[in-house]
Amino acid sequence: MRNISENLFPVEKEQASQANHIIQLAFESAADTAFSYLVPDSLWPVKVGQRIEAPFGRANKPQKGFCVSVDVSKPENIKLKTISKIIDTEPLLNAELMALAQWISEYYVCPLGQVLAAMVPAAVKKGAGVRKERLVYLAVTEDEIFSKIKAKKQKNIIEYLKSKSAFEKDSALKINKVLEKAGCKTSPLNRLAENGIVKITERQILVSLPAVPEGMTLRSEAVVLNDDQQKAMAHFKEQIDSGVFGVTLLYGVTDSGKTELYIRAVEEVIKKGKKAIVLLPEIALTTQTIQRFNDRFENIAVMHSGLTAAQRNVQWQNIKSGKANVVIGARSAIFAPLDNLGLVVVDEEHEPSYKQDTAPRYHGRDVAIKRAQLANAHCILGSATPSLETLFNCKARKHYHLVRLPKRVKDLPMPEMKLVDLRQIHQSSKTVNLISEPLLNNLKNALSKGRQAILFLNRRGYSNFVFCPSCKHMLHCRNCDVTLTFHKSKMPSPSMDTVSGKLMNYGFALCHYCGSQTLVPQKCPLCGKGFAMIGFGSQRLEEELQHKLPAARIARIDSDTMAGKDYYHILKDFSDGKIDILAGTQILAKGLHFPNVTVVGIISAETSLYLPDFRANERTFQLISQVAGRTGRSEKKGTVYVQTFLPDQPAIVFALNNDFDNFVTEELKHRKQCSLPPYWRMANIVLRSTDYEKLELASQNMRQRIDGIIAAYNLQVKVRGPVPALISRIQRFHRMQIIVQAPDAAVIQILFTSLRASAPIKPAVKVAIDIDPVNLL
């Protein structure tokens, strides 16, 4: 990051002469530099981590930035501007978080100001949930002055303040209470203030808003650890007692008791007077985990996007003030302002949702490891299907440790895996059914016994695209190079097309990339024939369930239902037995615990394989294994039906046999041959512009600059592109990408540090750099 001195424009000489300190600011805008500013003596001291408002640019527009260093040397022959004000009374970020921000900025190639802005929730910066309370106290103590007051109501105010010893600001009383006791309105109080007898002040009060919903307390049973768990716990205790940074991969099959070990590790840390952060990949998983932790710990804080702005601010302030010693949340909870950190837990560490898809494009798991390193704390990564990168690190890095939990708790058997070959079923059937006959029969049997089921289909909406069988026309997004997905909507009564007299589909076609939507015409605009709904999604699955099992209580959970904040109630109702079948997308695959579930149906096991991504096999295996793990979590036997058109595909075959070790061995062979992660590191550069010709020229210039840096430093790097991105246009921006591969992270850093220090690419286009991308779409 370059350091630039902001020139002094129209600032008074007198003011500048009274400023004897210089600080550097990183602004929240995308400027990839730090700027030097003068600080008036009247505003000194300024601390690193505080937000500052300062004039910026030729127009001296007020901008907010973070102080990143103080008392820096004054540049020669350059006049400096002076800051306007200090926004925060205390730093929002401590030294540890400032160091973490610097690392994220350097490693993920992102302006420091942007990183710092992302680390502090918007609700905190806006002061959400804070109300002002007006207070009053006596400014004088002489009875001689009081005796001169003749007005009765003024006397009443004074007498009440004296009776409560409200002689200082710290003992000030609420104005509303004082007026109530004095039996008057504000006029007498205002006169006393005008005469200097009382002083009126304000203080900010955080609204008390619990982040843990009512009814979420769960009384857990006493748990006796099995031999494998005891060995794992002994390892954690040894690592925590050592006080030395380390990383442990807790590789345990589904329902092997990983959460119980997290809790006990946190207990060990708290005994030592330290604190812990527990990261979870989804809000849906957060609810059940909060239940477990809320029963075992008194001072927990929750941080995730499902909270209101006021709740987020309250939780953050509680953490900052030291009221919480355990923080539970999604990806951004790793930035919780905890001091004395002793443990970081990353549950389901393989999940791609830990990767931020906007700047700063950090990976929550890797940032968690770095934060643990900065705090000299221990980091636990847990998963039943660890990422290949983490497994590789366990062999390649000294501070990584591998601990296995090969059996389920109470020696419960793994669920029985049954293959349903959809090729044979669809050859003998004229209709397309999402729920095969074997799965349907088992669902009926389970429901007759009072059991529950989960059906998994990793596609939102009703159908994948709207298609004209006659002329092959499909509805496309007007902003993106993708087809629209049809979503059904609820309606009180069917609607009729006035021209054809046919019943219309009530719903809309939605783009999952830009969010634009349109009504679906009854007829094709090109040939006038009718449209067909091709493909299937979670809405269609729910509809088929309702048709085939009309007596069953069915609920759907996906990002559409999550948007309505109903996920907690759905999960609670399912846990309480008020819902028989839960259908949905990958949210269901992540660590949820429902002992009464005896049937799991994977509707289309190969969905992830159709993505043009080198991790497609890995994600397919992980999804099948994770969803299968939702059943058989009690003495009731669990069965998993895996429906697929590709029964011989290796990832599906390995998943059916619960053979993760051999899957990893085979997958790593292919990765090594192709110089892919985890053997090589990767970066994805995406350039965007609404002008395709400008984008094409800028992409070529970017490639030339990269080639020049590689030649100058003699780097071992493979560069592919520029080529149109797999989705070549999103939100009206054309997209080109350049993929960079290198044998280690150091080479990537040398390349991008040089690229970052060079002049901006011409012609000007938007550039996004993604280090260690989890997808290449």
Side-chain angles (χ1 to χ4, degrees):
M1 184 179 68
R2 294 171 290 171
N3 296 328
I4 292 181
S5 302
E6 182 67 352
N7 290 338
L8 179 66
F9 282 98
V11 177
E12 297 294 334
K13 292 183 180 180
E14 182 182 355
Q15 183 182 5
S17 64
Q18 295 173 353
N20 297 308
H21 301 275
I22 300 174
I23 63 172
Q24 285 189 327
L25 300 181
F27 288 103
E28 296 181 14
S29 63
D32 196 9
T33 55
F35 295 89
S36 295
Y37 277 87
L38 289 168
V39 180
D41 292 347
S42 59
L43 294 180
W44 192 257
V46 175
K47 300 175 184 177
V48 171
Q50 284 180 309
R51 285 181 303 151
I52 308 295
E53 186 177 287
F56 186 78
R58 292 186 178 275
N60 283 326
K61 184 177 179 181
Q63 293 280 355
K64 294 177 182 178
F66 283 83
C67 175
V68 294
S69 59
V70 296
D71 279 333
V72 298
S73 301
K74 184 176 181 179
E76 294 183 7
N77 302 320
I78 295 179
K79 293 183 179 180
L80 301 178
K81 293 182 181 180
T82 306
I83 68 169
S84 305
K85 64 179 180 180
I86 301 173
I87 299 171
D88 308 304
T89 55
E90 291 295 328
L92 296 182
L93 302 170
N94 59 25
E96 182 183 295
L97 287 173
M98 291 297 295
L100 182 64
Q102 187 68 48
W103 178 83
I104 292 172
S105 173
E106 293 172 0
Y107 185 82
Y108 290 104
V109 195
C110 183
L112 180 58
Q114 247 182 326
V115 176
L116 292 168
M119 292 175 77
V120 181
V124 174
K125 290 181 278 192
K126 293 177 181 177
V130 177
R131 61 181 176 85
K132 292 182 178 180
E133 190 174 62
R134 298 183 76 219
L135 307 170
V136 62
Y137 64 96
L138 288 168
V140 296
T141 58
E142 295 85 355
D143 289 336
E144 186 177 325
I145 296 175
F146 297 149
S147 64
K148 295 179 181 179
I149 303 297
K150 303 300 181 184
K152 181 180 178 182
K153 292 181 179 179
Q154 292 183 30
K155 282 186 174 183
N156 290 345
I157 292 173
I158 291 170
E159 290 301 323
Y160 183 71
L161 291 173
K162 287 174 65 178
S163 69
K164 296 297 181 180
S165 300
F167 295 108
E168 296 178 353
K169 187 175 180 178
D170 291 342
S171 57
L173 303 178
K174 295 179 184 178
I175 284 180
N176 291 342
K177 185 72 171 177
V178 173
L179 296 179
E180 179 186 341
K181 293 295 184 180
C184 64
K185 295 186 178 180
T186 57
S187 295
L189 182 66
N190 291 337
R191 291 193 191 96
L192 289 172
E194 289 169 4
N195 293 325
I197 296 173
V198 300
K199 281 192 177 180
I200 296 174
T201 185
E202 285 184 346
R203 70 180 173 193
Q204 293 184 336
I205 303 292
L206 269 176
V207 178
S208 179
L209 292 169
V212 181
E214 293 182 8
M216 285 194 65
T217 53
L218 178 70
R219 302 306 303 176
S220 56
E221 300 176 359
V223 177
V224 178
L225 301 183
N226 60 30
D227 291 342
D228 295 319
Q229 287 176 307
Q230 288 178 16
K231 291 177 183 177
M233 194 61 227
H235 169 80
F236 293 151
K237 192 174 185 307
E238 180 184 353
Q239 294 296 314
I240 292 167
D241 289 343
S242 72
V244 177
F245 163 68
V247 182
T248 297
L249 169 61
L250 183 60
Y251 169 23
V253 299
T254 55
D255 197 28
S256 58
K258 294 187 289 293
T259 302
E260 179 63 28
L261 290 179
Y262 301 155
I263 291 172
R264 297 201 181 195
V266 171
E267 287 175 340
E268 288 295 324
V269 165
I270 291 176
K271 286 177 185 177
K272 294 183 173 296
K274 295 189 175 183
K275 300 175 183 179
I277 296 175
V278 180
L279 296 186
L280 306 164
E282 291 282 355
I283 304 171
L285 183 53
T286 306
T287 56
Q288 281 201 338
T289 306
I290 291 171
Q291 290 181 346
R292 298 278 300 274
F293 276 80
N294 198 44
D295 181 48
R296 305 277 281 273
F297 302 100
E298 292 183 4
N299 302 317
I300 71 169
V302 181
M303 293 183 72
H304 58 72
S305 60
L307 303 179
T308 65
Q311 285 175 323
R312 278 195 288 270
N313 189 22
V314 169
Q315 293 294 299
W316 192 91
Q317 298 293 349
N318 286 343
I319 298 167
K320 184 82 165 59
S321 62
K323 294 179 181 177
N325 51 23
V326 182
V327 176
I328 305 171
R331 179 178 59 226
S332 61
I334 193 58
F335 303 130
L338 277 178
D339 57 357
N340 204 19
L341 184 65
L343 179 69
V344 180
V345 176
V346 184
D347 191 26
E348 308 291 356
E349 63 84 26
H350 65 277
E351 274 296 327
S353 57
Y354 279 121
K355 179 72 170 178
Q356 174 86 356
D357 56 5
T358 57
R361 293 174 175 81
Y362 66 91
H363 198 297
R365 175 197 62 213
D366 298 336
V367 172
I369 294 170
K370 184 64 181 180
R371 179 156 189 197
Q373 183 187 31
L374 291 171
N376 223 20
H378 195 65
C379 182
I380 299 175
L381 310 178
S383 178
T385 53
S387 64
L388 298 189
E389 287 83 355
T390 300
L391 286 170
F392 182 81
N393 285 335
C394 286
K395 294 181 179 179
R397 302 195 175 205
K398 292 182 179 179
H399 56 272
Y400 272 74
H401 310 274
L402 175 62
V403 174
R404 287 177 177 260
L405 299 176
K407 297 183 294 184
R408 285 188 156 189
V409 295
K410 301 178 183 178
D411 285 327
L412 295 173
M414 296 296 289
E416 181 183 3
M417 306 289 286
K418 291 191 176 182
L419 174 68
V420 179
D421 189 346
L422 295 178
R423 296 175 304 177
Q424 299 175 2
I425 292 176
H426 283 256
Q427 284 176 357
S428 59
S429 175
K430 294 182 180 180
T431 59
V432 177
N433 294 310
L434 296 183
I435 304 170
S436 62
E437 187 173 343
L439 175 56
L440 181 61
N441 291 337
N442 205 275
L443 287 173
K444 291 178 179 177
N445 183 49
L447 297 184
S448 68
K449 298 177 180 178
R451 309 288 168 77
Q452 293 171 292
I454 289 176
L455 298 189
F456 170 74
L457 176 58
N458 202 23
R459 283 178 179 162
R460 290 168 54 203
Y462 187 83
S463 62
N464 291 49
F465 49 92
V466 183
F467 175 72
C468 175
S470 178
C471 70
K472 316 305 180 190
H473 172 65
M474 289 186 289
L475 289 186
H476 279 79
C477 175
R478 60 182 178 271
N479 302 320
C480 311
D481 186 26
V482 294
T483 57
L484 297 176
T485 301
F486 180 70
H487 286 248
K488 271 197 171 182
S489 298
K490 294 180 180 179
M491 63 174 181
S493 59
S495 62
M496 194 75 68
D497 182 67
T498 55
V499 178
S500 65
K502 294 181 179 179
L503 190 68
M504 295 174 61
N505 282 316
Y506 190 84
F508 54 91
L510 174 69
C511 175
H512 287 174
Y513 287 89
C514 72
S516 66
Q517 59 185 30
T518 182
L519 295 175
V520 179
Q522 185 69 23
K523 296 181 179 180
C524 174
L526 299 185
C527 68
K529 301 292 180 64
F531 273 120
M533 304 298 169
I534 305 298
F536 41 80
S538 54
Q539 282 187 328
R540 185 173 174 184
L541 173 60
E542 181 185 26
E543 183 178 272
E544 188 168 320
L545 281 170
Q546 291 169 342
H547 175 71
K548 292 183 174 180
L549 298 168
R553 298 166 296 178
I554 300 163
R556 172 172 56 90
I557 185 165
D558 53 27
S559 56
D560 295 324
T561 58
M562 293 274 283
K565 309 294 183 186
D566 292 332
Y567 60 93
Y568 164 68
H569 300 290
I570 294 174
L571 293 177
K572 188 175 186 304
D573 287 347
F574 190 65
S575 180
D576 293 342
K578 297 177 182 178
I579 296 172
D580 299 317
I581 302 175
L582 195 59
T585 56
Q586 61 182 352
I587 297 168
L588 295 175
K590 300 173 183 178
L592 297 171
H593 179 74
F594 300 112
N596 196 40
V597 172
T598 58
V599 178
V600 163
I602 299 173
I603 303 303
S604 177
E606 69 273 9
T607 300
S608 299
L609 292 171
Y610 296 127
L611 294 174
D613 194 323
F614 70 89
R615 288 191 174 93
N617 279 337
E618 183 181 2
R619 287 184 185 156
T620 297
F621 185 99
Q622 288 169 342
L623 280 173
I624 293 174
S625 298
Q626 292 287 339
V627 177
R630 299 316 104 209
T631 186
R633 300 173 78 94
S634 66
E635 290 75 12
K636 304 164 187 174
K637 181 183 176 183
T639 308
V640 181
Y641 287 83
V642 181
Q643 301 183 169
T644 180
F645 285 99
L646 303 173
D648 300 322
Q649 206 280 335
I652 295 176
V653 172
F654 281 123
L656 284 166
N657 294 321
N658 288 315
D659 191 357
F660 186 59
D661 291 341
N662 282 323
F663 167 76
V664 169
T665 301
E666 288 301 311
E667 185 67 13
L668 285 176
K669 288 180 184 177
H670 302 305
R671 299 279 185 93
K672 190 172 185 178
Q673 290 173 352
C674 299
S675 301
L676 291 170
Y679 293 98
W680 279 46
R681 305 302 281 265
M682 180 178 286
N684 186 27
I685 305 172
V686 177
L687 300 94
R688 300 184 299 140
S689 177
T690 54
D691 185 329
Y692 185 78
E693 292 183 359
K694 182 194 289 187
L695 175 64
E696 200 169 29
L697 179 58
S699 301
Q700 292 170 357
N701 292 340
M702 175 67 82
R703 174 61 193 263
Q704 290 175 3
R705 186 169 294 180
I706 291 172
D707 290 340
I709 295 171
I710 292 171
Y713 288 92
N714 193 26
L715 300 176
Q716 184 185 0
V717 176
K718 294 181 180 180
V719 184
R720 307 177 191 277
V723 295
L726 293 171
I727 301 176
S728 61
R729 191 170 65 102
I730 294 179
Q731 293 180 334
R732 300 188 180 181
F733 281 88
H734 300 283
R735 304 168 74 240
M736 300 284 283
Q737 69 180 164
I738 299 173
I739 297 174
V740 178
Q741 294 167 262
D744 55 56
V747 176
I748 291 282
Q749 287 299 297
I750 292 171
L751 172 60
F752 282 97
T753 298
S754 299
L755 191 63
R756 188 175 185 179
S758 58
I761 291 292
K762 299 292 183 181
V765 297
K766 295 182 181 295
V767 180
I769 297 173
D770 190 1
I771 305 296
D772 301 332
V774 297
N775 72 69
L776 299 174
L777 296 179

